[in-house]
Amino acid sequence: MRKLGTAVAITIALLSGVRPDSAVGADIRYVPLGFTGRLTEPTAQSALQGAQLALSDANELATRKHLDIRFRLLPQDDRGNENFAINIARYYIKENVAGVVGPWSSDAALATAELYERAHIPQIGFTATVSKLTSSGRAMPFRVVGGTSDLAAALAEVAMGPLQGRRILVIQNDSAYSMALADAFVEKVGSSGAASVTRFQAGRQNTDFSAALKAAAQQEADVIVFVAMYPQVRAFLDAARRAQSTASILLTAGATNLVDKPAGDGQLYVLEFEIPQDHCPRWKAFSAAYTRQFKSTPTTYSYYAYDAASVLTAAILKSGAGDGEKIAQALHQDQYAGLHGPIRFDAGGANAHPRFTLYRFQGQWRPVQYFPAAAGRREKCQ
């Protein structure tokens, strides 16, 4: 990377939220990191802002420790599209990024995985949850939240346990995430022998779920599990309200950011990644810093993206920015203090101890149960 002139270095430092070093003439390396997602959507913007705060914290730490690395983010809008994601991956490779936070969708992550692998660029996922990504034998993919296999097991436990589902309808679409999650869920429920489960497939852009709800009524479904794309949640719940569905509705991660009113007379639940630690000083500090800087409340994606960017920058500060294999090794070797608790990666790069919180809508989202059962909010604070 070319050495930057003093004026340029100061400008970049200011734009990155970092004060220039007192020794202005010091050789500072500005390390680019990628961030790719559906940046036209507010939830993706909230995630980008979480990642930006993580870089600010990492740059402040590097300044205090008199390290010569400073981070800058190169956000790109992949629109959740595989072809856009591939072009962005090629751009990041050309720009010699040290790592990528993302991609956003599982389809995009699967489409670009081999490109990043050959370029030795670690990717830290926080929304691309298809378990196949971290079980492919590649060294570069990582994920700070649970995968589809983990989420499906927890969904099955909720549907047949607290929700007492015996006739379950799963609504999915043909995205990699949705198909993998539906496959794993159906397998879990089927192997239990405690409930019957059927599937209804909708298009990725579908906003009319009347046929799906008609199928649920015909089958007398007592639980509907919605695992299609999260932007479709509102349209589905509006349809459930119009149909006066009385089935319990179970949504998946991210839905608490989108829903602010119940659907029909049924009971509305969401299984979200991780267990909030809003009683912990570090969680409170992040939330306050986010609100102060961006004049809004962080979403769940803000926290996950902060964690993803934080573990990536920590590994780079430890190993240096020039060798992606060393960065990946550092990610595997260490345990990281995430906003939801410790983060450690297994051999494939998946979160070794994924956790989930079940919420029920009662005027607002209220936590009712944690998974695994031994986990809880009153764990040791970081």
Side-chain angles (χ1 to χ4, degrees):
M1 185 178 296
R2 291 183 299 171
K3 187 183 295 184
L4 298 172
T6 300
V8 177
I10 293 174
T11 300
I12 292 178
L14 290 172
L15 289 173
S16 303
V18 184
R19 296 178 181 176
D21 287 351
S22 56
V24 175
D27 289 336
I28 299 297
R29 293 184 292 157
Y30 289 90
V31 177
L33 302 178
F35 181 99
T36 172
R38 297 188 185 96
L39 296 185
T40 57
E41 296 179 5
T43 49
Q45 280 292 324
S46 74
L48 173 59
Q49 291 162 350
Q52 289 169 334
L53 283 183
L55 262 65
S56 294
D57 288 349
N59 285 335
E60 289 179 7
L61 176 63
T63 300
R64 290 197 304 270
K65 291 190 172 183
H66 306 289
L67 302 176
D68 65 350
I69 288 179
R70 302 294 183 271
F71 298 101
R72 61 188 179 95
L73 208 55
L74 301 178
Q76 293 290 310
D77 186 355
D78 64 20
R79 305 185 189 181
N81 179 281
E82 297 95 313
N83 292 327
F84 278 98
I86 289 170
N87 288 333
I88 290 168
R90 290 170 177 158
Y91 164 72
Y92 283 153
I93 292 168
K94 182 180 178 181
E95 290 296 312
N96 196 31
V97 300
V100 173
V101 179
W104 186 270
S105 73
S106 292
D107 295 280
L110 291 170
T112 56
E114 189 56 34
L115 286 171
Y116 288 126
E117 187 75 13
R118 291 199 300 265
H120 306 294
I121 297 176
Q123 315 130 251
I124 315 294
F126 63 98
T127 53
T129 55
V130 64
S131 293
K132 179 181 177 181
L133 189 65
T134 50
S135 60
S136 62
R138 295 188 177 97
M140 295 298 119
F142 294 84
R143 185 177 55 248
V144 295
V145 296
T148 48
S149 295
D150 308 307
L151 179 55
L155 284 170
E157 186 173 349
V158 170
M160 294 183 292
L163 273 58
Q164 298 184 337
R166 294 299 175 263
R167 296 178 302 279
I168 302 170
L169 178 71
V170 178
I171 301 176
Q172 64 174 89
N173 61 27
D174 63 348
S175 67
Y177 157 81
S178 186
M179 289 192 297
L181 184 54
D183 287 346
F185 176 82
V186 170
E187 182 179 354
K188 287 289 183 182
V189 173
S191 64
S192 73
S196 63
V197 57
T198 55
R199 300 165 78 150
F200 185 97
Q201 181 157 310
R204 295 192 199 192
Q205 305 301 322
N206 190 48
T207 58
D208 182 357
F209 290 95
S210 56
L213 288 158
K214 182 178 180 180
Q218 290 174 341
Q219 296 168 22
E220 298 182 335
D222 44 24
V223 173
I224 300 173
V225 182
F226 188 82
V227 300
M229 306 294 282
Y230 80 90
Q232 297 175 294
V233 166
R234 284 199 180 100
F236 165 68
L237 292 181
D238 287 343
R241 192 175 298 111
R242 290 192 299 269
Q244 299 182 334
S245 173
T246 57
S248 294
I249 295 174
L250 178 56
L251 307 174
T252 56
T256 55
N257 303 306
L258 303 173
V259 179
D260 57 6
K261 54 186 176 181
D265 297 324
Q267 295 179 328
L268 184 60
Y269 297 83
V270 173
L271 191 64
E272 289 280 3
F273 294 116
E274 291 294 356
I275 297 175
Q277 292 193 309
D278 48 0
H279 60 290
C280 290
R282 190 160 177 263
W283 176 285
K284 292 179 179 178
F286 169 81
S287 300
Y290 185 99
T291 301
R292 184 168 57 250
Q293 182 162 339
F294 301 112
K295 312 304 180 188
S296 61
T297 303
T299 69
T300 58
Y301 295 114
S302 308
Y303 296 102
Y304 306 151
Y306 179 90
D307 278 347
S310 293
V311 300
L312 178 57
T313 54
I316 293 171
L317 289 175
K318 175 181 178 179
S319 61
D323 190 328
E325 291 184 352
K326 288 183 178 179
I327 296 170
Q329 290 172 5
L331 287 165
H332 280 296
Q333 289 170 356
D334 292 342
Q335 177 171 283
Y336 300 89
L339 291 172
H340 299 84
I343 297 173
R344 185 172 63 81
F345 299 108
D346 66 17
N351 187 322
H353 299 292
R355 308 182 313 168
F356 304 91
T357 300
L358 177 65
Y359 291 88
R360 182 180 178 182
F361 194 92
Q362 297 174 301
Q364 61 183 348
W365 290 110
R366 299 183 185 278
V368 295
Q369 195 167 343
Y370 306 112
F371 300 87
R377 294 173 62 191
R378 297 297 167 182
E379 296 173 347
K380 182 179 179 181
C381 289
Q382 295 290 339

